[in-house]
Amino acid sequence: MNINNLKTPLMKKLFFALFLMSFSLSLFSQVIEDQEIKRRSSLTVGILQGGGSLVGADFETLLTDKFGVQLGAGLVGYGAGINYHLKPSIRSSFFSLQYWHQGVGEGYSQSLLGPTFVYRGKKWFTAQIGLGYVLGYGPAWSSTAAKSPIILLYSIGAYFPL
């Protein structure tokens, strides 16, 4: 993994777009109900978050009470997802259709698409497991490594309602 990949124009644009989206959506992400704030967005940080990045973050916002979208990025990768929560709360567990892009430039290894289940604890803990269909391999994928069409997707981290 080359740390200089973080300085590419693509990564700068990706991080700037993620920051802009996070800031603008968080301004409109709270609904006041009976003097209580109902959180409608969250930030998740952890291992293999942000599209399967070594360390990354995902920003999610609810579009309806149970349906949400997320974008993420990290060291070194990015991803997106469409989420369906089991309860009408940003703190609830959910099913997701995820896209993971692992690596950038010469460090790009693979792209994946697949369903996952994301467990969310009541306070902060979150973990994800699912299956990803390989959409493509990049130059960082070892030529001697096996190429399976299906790969296990997983991550662990902490989430913070916004």
Side-chain angles (χ1 to χ4, degrees):
M1 183 181 333
N2 186 350
I3 197 70
N4 290 329
N5 287 339
L6 292 176
K7 297 179 183 179
T8 64
L10 174 64
M11 287 302 289
K12 288 179 182 177
K13 289 177 185 177
L14 181 64
F15 279 103
F16 180 72
L18 184 62
F19 170 77
L20 259 168
M21 188 189 90
S22 299
F23 179 75
S24 62
L25 287 176
S26 67
L27 291 176
F28 302 101
S29 66
Q30 298 176 354
V31 176
I32 298 176
E33 293 178 357
D34 299 330
Q35 305 298 326
E36 211 176 292
I37 296 177
K38 182 178 180 183
R39 311 285 180 182
R40 297 197 48 89
S41 296
S42 71
L43 180 68
T44 303
V45 294
I47 299 168
L48 296 177
Q49 298 289 347
S53 298
L54 183 59
V55 177
D58 286 300
F59 175 79
E60 179 192 10
T61 191
L62 292 176
L63 301 177
T64 68
D65 283 343
K66 291 187 172 186
F67 178 74
V69 294
Q70 73 181 50
L71 286 177
L75 182 68
V76 175
Y78 56 90
I82 301 170
N83 307 332
Y84 180 77
H85 286 259
L86 301 177
K87 296 179 182 175
S89 169
I90 197 71
R91 290 188 176 273
S92 71
S93 298
F94 57 90
F95 291 100
S96 183
L97 179 62
Q98 298 269 322
Y99 170 75
W100 288 14
H101 188 94
Q102 296 178 311
V104 177
E106 291 298 313
Y108 165 61
S109 61
Q110 63 188 349
S111 296
L112 306 150
L113 180 69
T116 65
F117 175 74
V118 179
Y119 168 79
R120 280 198 172 158
K122 290 182 181 182
K123 302 267 184 192
W124 60 270
F125 178 76
T126 184
Q128 172 176 216
I129 191 155
L131 294 173
Y133 175 75
V134 178
L135 299 174
Y137 292 100
W141 188 265
S142 172
S143 61
T144 60
K147 291 186 175 180
S148 172
I150 304 291
I151 294 178
L152 187 65
L153 302 178
Y154 56 92
S155 64
I156 190 167
Y159 77 98
F160 307 96
L162 304 173

